[in-house]
Amino acid sequence: MQTVVKLLAAFLVISVSTLIAAIAMRHHPALVTSAVWIRTPLVAASAAVLLWLARRAAAGHRKSFRRLRIISIVVLAAIIAVVAWPGAFPVWIRIEQAVCGVFMLSVVVRTNLRVVRSTMAAT
């Protein structure tokens, strides 16, 4: 679970950095669209929640682990939609989301491994 915590910490850093970049580029409407204004705070918030759940799961909280597994799948699906939806988001956001997608895919895979699920069920 420590690797999952590290992956989600990196996801949070990237997400907050993206929000800061959007604020810095706010005068460039081609780069910071209304979709970016909606998406970036939501992604940063979800990254914070996921990291909190991962830390609780690493401490042995089974309900947090279950929530982490479910929410990480939903977040991964949303990231895939953003990356795949042509024209909905600027290229820079799609690239950032693709990077975040790699982190989230790793979280989804790691939290759904049989050995990890068995370990969490035993606690």
Side-chain angles (χ1 to χ4, degrees):
M1 284 302 298
Q2 291 306 315
T3 301
V4 170
V5 170
K6 289 176 185 176
L7 289 165
L8 290 172
F11 178 46
L12 179 60
V13 168
I14 292 169
S15 299
V16 170
S17 299
T18 302
L19 179 57
I20 292 168
I23 292 167
M25 296 186 296
R26 67 187 173 275
H27 299 297
H28 301 280
L31 295 175
V32 184
T33 63
S34 58
V36 171
W37 283 121
I38 294 167
R39 177 115 182 113
T40 53
L42 291 174
V43 172
S46 68
V49 169
L50 285 165
L51 180 57
W52 176 72
L53 290 171
R55 286 183 174 155
R56 286 183 48 86
H61 295 265
R62 288 185 298 179
K63 288 184 179 181
S64 292
F65 178 68
R66 185 177 309 120
R67 290 179 181 124
L68 171 64
R69 287 178 58 216
I70 293 166
I71 295 170
S72 64
I73 291 169
V74 171
V75 169
L76 178 60
I79 289 171
I80 291 168
V82 166
V83 173
W85 192 354
F89 293 90
V91 172
W92 74 278
I93 288 290
R94 292 173 68 197
I95 292 169
E96 178 266 346
Q97 286 291 278
V99 171
C100 288
V102 172
F103 288 105
M104 287 309 302
L105 178 60
S106 183
V107 169
V108 168
V109 168
R110 289 172 186 275
T111 56
N112 285 286
L113 291 172
R114 179 175 285 139
V115 66
V116 175
R117 287 180 296 144
S118 298
T119 302
M120 289 306 295
T123 60

